[in-house]
């Protein structure tokens, strides 16, 4: 259950990163409100998960999901540049996240 919280928190991290860009420096109301909502949800779920998980693997999985998700979203919906190197690098992040998730034990 704790790892599920980390995964959802990572997805919410993608949401807050995208909304941060869309807020244009907090000058647009609804993207700013969405950023705050996603950020609070993401940090809140990560905090709950850390009651049961080691901080290193949990934090790395959280940031890895957020980073990969944000990069993929940017390429699909925001016109970010797509390159072979970028896709390979995102794949390596995902493989690393899976490896860290498998290595992290709950206490």
């Amino acid at each position: 259950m704790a790892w599920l919280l980390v995964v959802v928190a990572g997805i919410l991290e993608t949401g807050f990163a995208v909304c941060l860009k869309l807020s244009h420096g907090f000058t647009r109301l609804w993207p700013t409100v969405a950023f705050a909502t996603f950020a609070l949800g993401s940090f809140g779920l990560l905090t709950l998960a850390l009651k049961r998980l080691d901080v290193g693997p949990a934090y790395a999985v959280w940031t890895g999901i957020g980073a990969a998700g944000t990069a993929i979203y940017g390429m699909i919906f925001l016109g970010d540049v797509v390159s072979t190197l970028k896709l390979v690098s995102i794949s390596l992040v995902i493989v690393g996240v899976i490896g860290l998730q498998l290595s992290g034990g709950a206490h």
Side-chain angles (χ1 to χ4, degrees):
M1 183 62 169
W3 280 113
L4 178 61
L5 293 176
V6 173
V7 169
V8 174
I11 293 167
L12 292 175
E13 183 188 1
T14 297
F16 84 67
V18 170
C19 288
L20 187 61
K21 176 174 179 57
L22 297 176
S23 77
H24 290 270
F26 300 128
T27 60
R28 294 186 176 165
L29 177 63
W30 293 115
T32 299
V33 170
F35 159 77
T37 303
F38 284 128
L40 287 172
S42 182
F43 285 114
L45 291 177
L46 181 63
T47 299
L48 292 174
L50 288 176
K51 290 181 178 182
R52 295 225 175 257
L53 301 173
D54 292 337
V55 69
Y59 182 75
V61 168
W62 176 69
T63 57
I65 291 170
T70 303
I72 292 167
Y73 186 94
M75 288 185 288
I76 294 172
F77 297 106
L78 301 177
D80 291 357
V81 175
V82 179
S83 69
T84 302
L85 181 57
K86 189 180 280 189
L87 294 173
V88 168
S89 298
I90 291 169
S91 299
L92 290 171
V93 168
I94 293 169
V95 168
V97 163
I98 292 167
L100 284 166
Q101 193 278 337
L102 295 173
S103 73
H107 13 267

